[in-house]
Amino acid sequence: MSPRRNRPHGGGLPAARAAESSEPTERYGLERTETWQGEEWMVRQVGGFAAAKYYRCPGCDQEIPPGVPHVVAWRGDGGADDRRHWHKACWNARDRRSARLQRSRSAPRY
């Protein structure tokens, strides 16, 4: 026989936590401004609980699945259509990683 579990089983967030998660800053994080290649970029950290869709990272051309924390970046003069979702490591290494055509596994290496 298994020991008894003393934890509550599901049913949503406690009242205090639910009140916190309704604030936009809690869900999406704070925006900050960074300079890259002479342009101003707005950068926002997205927590895993707020990531609900698949995105394609422009740094590595791999998918970012739902539930994975990542970074959203867009030009300071751009709008919502210009936002790009990056892995955090790809954003930090963006000088070494850029959006480029990826070759397939069966392609020659020359």
Side-chain angles (χ1 to χ4, degrees):
M1 176 172 247
S2 300
R4 192 179 111 206
R5 290 178 48 170
N6 290 327
R7 292 179 293 232
H9 295 283
L13 297 172
R17 178 76 177 156
E20 290 175 5
S21 65
S22 64
E23 298 175 15
T25 57
E26 177 71 22
R27 181 173 177 188
Y28 296 114
L30 297 175
E31 293 178 9
R32 65 181 187 275
T33 304
E34 293 186 17
T35 303
W36 179 47
Q37 295 181 344
E39 297 177 354
E40 294 290 321
W41 288 77
M42 301 299 293
V43 180
R44 179 187 296 155
Q45 298 283 332
V46 176
F49 57 89
K53 296 185 341 185
Y54 282 92
Y55 298 102
R56 174 110 13 216
C57 176
C60 64
D61 200 35
Q62 299 294 314
E63 284 187 346
I64 303 172
V68 174
H70 60 278
V71 174
V72 178
W74 65 96
R75 289 188 182 143
D77 59 351
D81 293 337
D82 295 331
R83 292 183 297 198
R84 297 293 174 254
H85 295 254
W86 294 68
H87 292 106
K88 187 173 181 182
C90 294
W91 177 253
N92 291 337
R94 62 191 175 271
D95 292 327
R96 298 185 307 270
R97 299 182 185 197
S98 64
R100 61 182 183 272
L101 183 62
Q102 300 287 318
R103 66 178 163 76
S104 67
R105 291 184 182 191
S106 62
R109 295 187 176 237
Y110 54 89

